[in-house]
Amino acid sequence: MRLRLVPEETHIDFFKARKVTFGASMILMVLSLVAWMVMGLNFGIDFRGGTTIRTQSVHAVDVGAYRDALQPLNLGDVAISEVFDPTFAEDHNVAMIRIQAQEGEESVTNETIQSVETALQGVDPDIQFTSVESVGPKVSAELIRTAVLAVGISLIAIMFYIWLRFEWQFSLGAVVALFHDVILTIGIFSVLQIRFDLATIAALLTIVGYSINDTVVIFDRVRENLIKYKTKPLQDVMNLSVNETLSRTVMTSGTTLIALIALLILGGDVIRGFVFAITWGVIVGTYSSVYVAKNIVLMLGTKRDWSKPSKTEGNQYANIDN
C-alpha cells in the first residue's frame, strides 16, 4: 500500500474564486511594501555594519543593567536583546549585543570589546563572550548591493528561461509569482522585525528556486494538456493540470515542511531566521504557483497550437483531436 495524502483523482476548481485569491495576493503585496517602507527591516550586522557580541551566563539576563553598564562607554547605538530557545538549559542564558560601527573605524577595536566585557562583568561576573562578529560600514554597503544584484539577476535569468521553454505569458506569470513570494517574505520579516541578514538573502534565493520548480512542473503539464485537449477552455485545462500534479505538490511541500518545522523548533536561534524564511517561502511559493502564476497566464491567454519541434511529435498526441 502506498501513502496518499490526496486521492488519485481530484476535481477541485482552483479558479472558482480566482478574483478573490488573486486580489488578496495583490493586496498582501501592497501591504508588505507599505510595512517595509514604514517599519523598515531589522538589518543584521551584515548590512548595518558594526559588531555583534553573543554572551552567555548562568545568571538571568538583565537587559536594563547591561545597558546602564555600557552607557558610560559612549558606543553610540547599542541594541541588547535576550535570546530565547527551547533547547537552552535553565542555566543557559544568552544575550545578543549589537554595537554600531564606530566613526572612522572599520570595526570595533579589541580594546573596545575588552572594555565592554569588563563593564558587563561588573553586572555579572560569570558572563562570557561566546562569539564576536564585526563588519565594517564599507563592507556592509557592498553586501547590500551584492544581495540586491543577486536576487535581481536570478529573477531575470528565470524569466528568460521560462520565456524560451514556454511562452512570454508563462514567463510573466512565473516572475510575478516570484516577486509575490519575495515581497511577502520581506513583508513578514518587516512586521515581525526578524533579523534580516545574509542568511535571509540565501533563504530568498532558495525560495525563488523552490517556487519556480513547482511552477515549471505545473506549466509542463499545462502545455501537454493544451496539445491533448485542443478545444477545451484554457481555465479547464489549467484546472485539470493542477489537479493532476496536486499529489506531487502536496507530497513535495509536505515532506519539505516536516524537515523545516523540525529545524525551526529544535535548530536553535542561530539559524531560526533562515529556516523561518524558507518555511514561509515554501508555503507562499506553493500558493503562488497556482493562484498567482496561473492566474496571470489565464488573464493573458496563450496559443493553443504548440507547433515547435518536439521529440514527441508524431506519437502520443498525433491522433488526439478532442
Side-chain angles (χ1 to χ4, degrees):
M1 295 179 64
R2 292 185 299 169
L3 173 65
R4 287 190 176 277
L5 298 181
V6 296
E8 188 169 355
E9 287 190 18
T10 58
H11 304 280
I12 303 171
D13 187 357
F14 289 95
F15 298 97
K16 184 177 182 179
R18 63 189 182 91
K19 292 182 179 179
V20 175
T21 55
F22 186 74
S25 293
M26 297 302 105
I27 291 172
L28 287 174
M29 287 179 68
V30 172
L31 291 177
S32 295
L33 290 173
V34 171
W36 184 8
M37 290 185 290
V38 174
M39 303 177 64
L41 289 169
N42 179 21
F43 284 117
I45 205 70
D46 299 332
F47 295 141
R48 289 199 306 178
T51 297
T52 296
I53 302 172
R54 184 184 174 95
T55 71
Q56 182 177 324
S57 176
V58 296
H59 299 106
V61 175
D62 188 335
V63 174
Y66 284 13
R67 185 174 289 109
D68 291 340
L70 297 180
Q71 188 70 32
L73 300 181
N74 296 320
L75 298 174
D77 184 18
V78 177
I80 305 172
S81 59
E82 185 174 0
V83 177
F84 296 96
D85 194 289
T87 62
F88 289 169
E90 291 185 4
D91 61 346
H92 192 175
N93 301 288
V94 177
M96 197 73 73
I97 302 172
R98 295 184 179 88
I99 304 172
Q100 73 175 38
Q102 304 300 296
E103 186 175 354
E105 298 179 359
E106 281 297 307
S107 62
V108 176
T109 63
N110 291 331
E111 290 77 11
T112 301
I113 294 174
Q114 184 61 50
S115 64
V116 170
E117 185 173 12
T118 302
L120 293 178
Q121 284 176 343
V123 176
D124 182 356
D126 295 319
I127 197 168
Q128 296 177 354
F129 285 11
T130 57
S131 69
V132 178
E133 299 177 4
S134 295
V135 177
K138 291 182 181 179
V139 175
S140 63
E142 181 64 28
L143 289 174
I144 292 175
R145 288 193 294 269
T146 304
V148 172
L149 188 63
V151 175
I153 289 177
S154 67
L155 292 176
I156 293 172
I158 287 172
M159 182 174 65
F160 185 66
Y161 163 75
I162 300 295
W163 193 346
L164 291 179
R165 184 170 174 80
F166 300 97
E167 296 295 327
W168 68 268
Q169 297 94 330
F170 290 82
S171 176
L172 184 60
V175 170
V176 171
L178 294 180
F179 269 112
H180 168 273
D181 301 342
V182 171
I183 291 173
L184 258 61
T185 302
I186 293 175
I188 197 168
F189 265 71
S190 177
V191 170
L192 300 180
Q193 287 296 293
I194 302 172
R195 188 171 70 250
F196 194 92
D197 51 21
L198 280 180
T200 311
I201 296 298
L204 287 177
L205 294 175
T206 304
I207 291 168
V208 167
Y210 185 94
S211 179
I212 197 62
N213 177 66
D214 192 41
T215 302
V216 166
V217 168
I218 302 177
F219 276 172
D220 263 330
R221 187 58 59 91
V222 170
R223 181 169 60 177
E224 292 173 4
N225 286 331
L226 282 173
I227 299 172
K228 188 176 180 180
Y229 304 104
K230 292 182 172 61
T231 59
K232 181 174 288 192
L234 180 59
Q235 179 172 326
D236 293 342
V237 172
M238 287 191 166
N239 251 327
L240 175 64
S241 302
V242 176
N243 277 283
E244 288 178 345
T245 57
L246 184 60
S247 178
R248 178 262 176 202
T249 299
V250 171
M251 289 293 289
T252 303
S253 299
T255 52
T256 304
L257 286 173
I258 289 173
L260 289 172
I261 291 172
L263 281 173
L264 195 61
I265 297 172
L266 303 174
D269 66 284
V270 176
I271 63 169
R272 183 156 290 127
F274 172 79
V275 176
F276 176 81
I278 298 181
T279 303
W280 172 258
V282 169
I283 296 171
V284 297
T286 303
Y287 175 89
S288 68
S289 295
V290 177
Y291 292 106
V292 178
K294 308 305 176 294
N295 269 321
I296 294 291
V297 177
L298 188 60
M299 286 187 290
L300 295 175
T302 184
K303 71 176 186 178
R304 305 304 297 263
D305 179 22
W306 294 78
S307 55
K308 293 182 178 180
S310 172
K311 294 180 180 179
T312 62
E313 185 176 358
N315 46 49
Q316 68 258 46
Y317 299 134
N319 298 316
I320 295 177
D321 54 3
N322 54 325

